């Protein structure tokens, strides 16, 4: 089955891998890439998205990049330069973009695209702060009934990374995340509980390097920088490649084990602002529109990534 996807991202090393996974997988129909300020400024992440599309060659031809919000809804932007570097994609030489950003705001593009397609066909995949997605559903409330699903990378039910309990994408724009998880649409939260299982081990890196193409060389360069940043900043031996876990779930739902759970986002806590709160008490609720990702089938995940990179 093929998935019509809008990828809303802030590339970002792992966002770039998510883009390449989508572009190299025939069953993902990438309708557009929308960008949002997060890992770096809007100008930088937009340029990075265009560079990744240029690198992907014909697979990316015709896929538009639509710049969105340059800052969170309420709070100041605090970029993740410590993890992603000054460009947002440090560690590689960025290919020169072969196209300009589209002249339509991300929010307008999302609304237009979802509303013109049959209900239940478009999946939104946010892998950055949720600013664009929140504005889109406020701008056009009927979006909630038309989107097939929101599969987001963000949050965590056990821990954070920007603070003890808040993950970067949610902590950057908690008000937007609050809107998104409280909307009446299906949400799958692929949080740190899951993505910390998606470690790019040396064996994974060797397999990608073995492909021996400009795309695989680019990914190896990204992973090298990402590894050092995660070692330095967060004490990881291998870097967690968060964002492509969302796309992998669409390609093969069996890659993730999920559990239904009511979800919310803490806005006011002095120590907990930006924390995602999943209610995991008692038996799994039947009529719950949100679920959290719990367990990753690492082998299946990396084999999807490697096949996509090989196909590009
Ligand atoms: C998330 O934050 C960003 O740094 C990554 O791109 C990922 O989306 C992980 O917390
Ligand atoms: Ca991201």
């Amino acid at each position: 089955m093929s998935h019509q996807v809008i990828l809303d991202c802030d590339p970002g090393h792992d966002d770039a891998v998510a883009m390449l996974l989508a572009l190299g997988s025939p069953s993902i129909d990438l309708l557009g890439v929308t960008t949002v300020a997060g890992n770096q400024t809007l100008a930088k992440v937009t340029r990075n998205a265009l560079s990744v599309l240029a690198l992907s060659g014909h697979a990316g031809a015709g896929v538009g990049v639509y710049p969105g919000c340059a800052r969170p809804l309420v709070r100041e932007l605090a970029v993740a330069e410590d993890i992603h570097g000054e460009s947002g994609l440090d560690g590689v030489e960025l290919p020169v973009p072969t196209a300009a950003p589209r002249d339509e705001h991300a929010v307008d593009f999302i609304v237009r695209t979802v509303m013109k397609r049959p209900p239940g066909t478009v999946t939104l995949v946010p892998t950055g702060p949720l600013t664009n997605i929140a504005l889109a559903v406020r701008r056009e409330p009927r979006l909630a009934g038309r989107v097939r699903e929101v599969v987001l990378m963000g949050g965590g039910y056990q821990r954070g990374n920007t603070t003890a309990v808040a993950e970067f994408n949610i902590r950057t724009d908690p008000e937007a995340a609050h809107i998104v998880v409280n909307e009446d649409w299906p949400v799958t939260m692929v949080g740190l509980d899951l993505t910390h299982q998606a470690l790019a081990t040396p064996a994974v890196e060797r397999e990608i390097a073995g492909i021996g193409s400009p795309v695989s060389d680019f990914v190896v360069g990204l992973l090298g920088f990402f590894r050092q940043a995660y070692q330095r900043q967060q004490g990881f031996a291998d870097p967690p490649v968060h964002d492509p876990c969302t796309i992998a779930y669409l390609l093969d739902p069996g890659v993730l084990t999920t559990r239904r759970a009511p979800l919310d986002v803490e806005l006011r806590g002095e120590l907990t602002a930006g924390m995602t709160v999943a209610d995991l008490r008692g038996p799994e609720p039947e009529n719950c529109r949100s679920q959290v990702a719990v367990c990753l089938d690492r082998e299946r995940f990396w084999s999807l990534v490697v096949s996509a990179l090989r196909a590009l």
Side-chain angles (χ1 to χ4, degrees):
M1 182 187 131
S2 119
H3 290 272
Q4 298 177 25
V5 168
I6 297 175
L7 181 59
D8 184 66
C9 58
D10 60 339
H13 294 67
D14 51 330
D15 301 84
V17 180
M19 284 180 71
L20 293 168
L21 175 57
L23 289 161
S25 302
S27 61
I28 299 284
D29 178 7
L30 191 56
L31 303 175
V33 173
T34 53
T35 54
V36 62
N39 286 327
Q40 261 299 351
T41 61
L42 182 68
K44 288 182 182 178
V45 300
T46 301
R47 141 94 207 209
N48 293 346
L50 291 164
S51 290
V52 174
L53 283 175
L55 172 80
S56 73
H58 95 114
V63 177
V65 174
Y66 300 80
C69 295
R71 55 159 294 179
L73 295 182
V74 177
R75 307 185 191 222
E76 293 299 323
L77 176 66
V79 300
E81 193 151 327
D82 53 343
I83 295 287
H84 297 276
E86 201 192 324
S87 70
L89 275 185
D90 276 16
V92 289
E93 196 163 316
L94 289 174
V96 177
T98 47
R102 296 290 169 95
D103 194 18
E104 182 179 18
H105 193 280
V107 170
D108 296 328
F109 170 74
I110 292 168
V111 170
R112 178 173 65 81
T113 305
V114 174
M115 294 309 290
K116 82 170 180 217
R117 288 173 190 257
T121 50
V122 179
T123 300
L124 302 180
V125 180
T127 62
L130 289 158
T131 324
N132 291 337
I133 308 293
L135 276 184
V137 73
R138 282 291 188 264
R139 165 81 181 78
E140 176 48 271
R142 286 175 298 171
L143 228 56
R146 297 196 61 112
V147 158
R148 181 185 169 84
E149 188 179 3
V150 179
V151 180
L152 67 92
M153 191 282 134
Y157 55 84
Q158 284 172 323
R159 54 163 298 174
N161 55 8
T162 297
T163 72
V165 294
E167 179 278 333
F168 176 78
N169 291 336
I170 307 297
R171 183 68 186 88
T172 299
D173 197 341
E175 285 72 21
H178 190 272
I179 291 172
V180 171
V181 305
N182 282 289
E183 244 337 310
D184 195 15
W185 51 16
V187 172
T188 297
M189 180 179 95
V190 182
L192 297 176
D193 324 282
L194 187 287
T195 64
H196 281 181
Q197 300 166 48
L199 300 171
T201 61
V204 165
E205 249 186 80
R206 275 197 300 278
E207 202 181 345
I208 294 173
I211 299 171
S213 68
V215 171
S216 65
D217 290 351
F218 183 82
V219 172
V220 169
L222 290 179
L223 292 178
F225 182 91
F226 215 34
R227 170 183 305 284
Q228 283 180 11
Y230 263 94
Q231 286 177 349
R232 213 176 35 242
Q233 303 296 335
Q234 299 206 18
F236 279 65
D238 303 320
V241 187
H242 311 273
D243 293 342
C245 297
T246 53
I247 300 288
Y249 173 60
L250 298 181
L251 290 168
D252 175 2
V255 166
L256 306 188
T257 311
T258 55
R259 187 197 192 283
R260 286 187 299 278
L263 265 183
D264 216 326
V265 175
E266 174 62 73
L267 296 180
R268 282 177 296 274
E270 199 179 322
L271 301 174
T272 53
M275 175 183 185
T276 47
V277 180
D279 190 349
L280 295 162
R281 293 170 299 169
E284 198 169 345
E286 269 180 27
N287 296 317
C288 175
R289 53 173 174 62
S290 51
Q291 57 176 358
V292 295
V294 176
C295 189
L296 178 73
D297 185 328
R298 295 169 174 80
E299 217 166 292
R300 269 156 89 172
F301 170 68
W302 286 113
S303 109
L304 287 169
V305 173
V306 168
S307 315
L309 297 178
R310 197 168 272 133
L312 288 169

